[in-house]
Amino acid sequence: MNSPNKLLLWDIDGTIIRTKGAGETAMNRAFKEVFNLDANLYAIDYSGRTDPLLGRMLCEYYGVPDSPTHNQAFVDAYVRNLSAILAETPATLLPGMGVLETLANRTDCLQGLLTGNVQSGGKCKLESVDAWPFFAFGAFADCCYDRNELGPKALKIAQDDFGVAFSKAQTFVIGDTPRDVECGQQIQAQTIAVATGKYSLVELAESEPDFLFEDLSDTEAFLAILD
């Protein structure tokens, strides 16, 4: 069997799925559980951040001492609350995400996750829309505060686990925030921005992605970039 020659690294929230505020609600509940304070995630600039960093940012915003133990307790409480919320109100796939199954069945493509979610949180979200099996691996944010550390991690996993050293021309990072674009640019990948999250086409264009879509409903145009 031929080795894959294209690596696709996907963000989750706002790119693949919409959770209808489940993540934000789960984080607010987690902060209340761990720190006994009412928090509002919307008070901070949370888009494109890692889950552990959000815990640290909330602690700073509300004047609560942070520590690795507190941060882990926050993340664990977040995932527990997230699971309960999504069990009642599952996430929804964004336009064009039928392409995930198409790409998962192509031998020339390897799909991974490049996400600020911790692994258990990302799995919970994608399982709620039956999309978890489409990804061969993931670079997750467990114990990671800097999202830009995840790109090199993803490339290393791809090489170590699948035996392929993907070039920058063979690597595609897909996301919905300027931080996703920056993360891809850090590893000199091809960056594909989609305006399906908080950021408009104009705002995303300022981050200078290689390709820019309103959404991925035009599957042929998206696949043409890869081929």
Side-chain angles (χ1 to χ4, degrees), residues 131-203:
W132 179 252
F134 299 142
F135 300 96
F137 73 99
F140 298 97
D142 299 76
C143 303
C144 174
Y145 296 97
D146 183 357
R147 190 187 182 100
N148 287 341
E149 295 177 4
L150 298 175
K153 179 180 178 181
L155 293 179
K156 186 175 189 306
I157 294 172
Q159 182 164 4
D160 291 350
D161 293 359
F162 300 93
V164 182
F166 292 93
S167 71
K168 60 184 180 182
Q170 295 172 305
T171 304
F172 301 84
V173 172
I174 307 105
D176 68 298
T177 76
R179 291 189 181 91
D180 296 315
V181 175
E182 179 185 349
C183 188
Q185 290 168 341
Q186 290 290 315
I187 57 171
Q188 298 182 302
Q190 305 294 306
T191 53
I192 303 173
V194 287
T196 44
K198 286 178 56 179
Y199 293 88
S200 68
L201 285 168
V202 172
E203 290 170 323

Side-chain angles (χ1 to χ4, degrees), residues 1 7 14 17 21 28 41 63 66-67 77-80 84 93 124 136 140 143 146 152 155-156 168 182 209 215:
M1 181 181 295
L7 175 63
I17 59 169
N28 291 341
L41 190 66
D66 186 26
S67 70
Y78 156 68
V79 174
R80 184 171 62 252
L93 285 168
C124 178
F140 298 97
C143 303
D146 183 357
L155 293 179
K156 186 175 189 306
K168 60 184 180 182
E182 179 185 349
D215 61 39

Side-chain angles (χ1 to χ4, degrees), residues 69-85:
T69 300
H70 280 155
N71 194 281
Q72 188 60 54
F74 167 78
V75 170
D76 290 344
Y78 156 68
V79 174
R80 184 171 62 252
N81 279 280
L82 178 68
S83 178
I85 294 168

Side-chain angles (χ1 to χ4, degrees), residues 204-225:
L204 288 171
E206 292 176 357
S207 63
E208 300 183 345
D210 294 294
F211 306 95
L212 181 58
F213 291 88
E214 184 172 355
D215 61 39
L216 295 183
S217 56
D218 188 345
T219 301
E220 289 187 6
F222 175 67
L223 293 177
I225 292 172

Side-chain angles (χ1 to χ4, degrees), residues 23-42:
E24 292 88 340
T25 300
M27 288 215 163
N28 291 341
R29 291 181 183 177
F31 202 81
K32 177 70 171 179
E33 286 183 23
V34 175
F35 299 103
N36 197 30
L37 286 173
D38 292 317
N40 180 7
L41 190 66
Y42 294 102

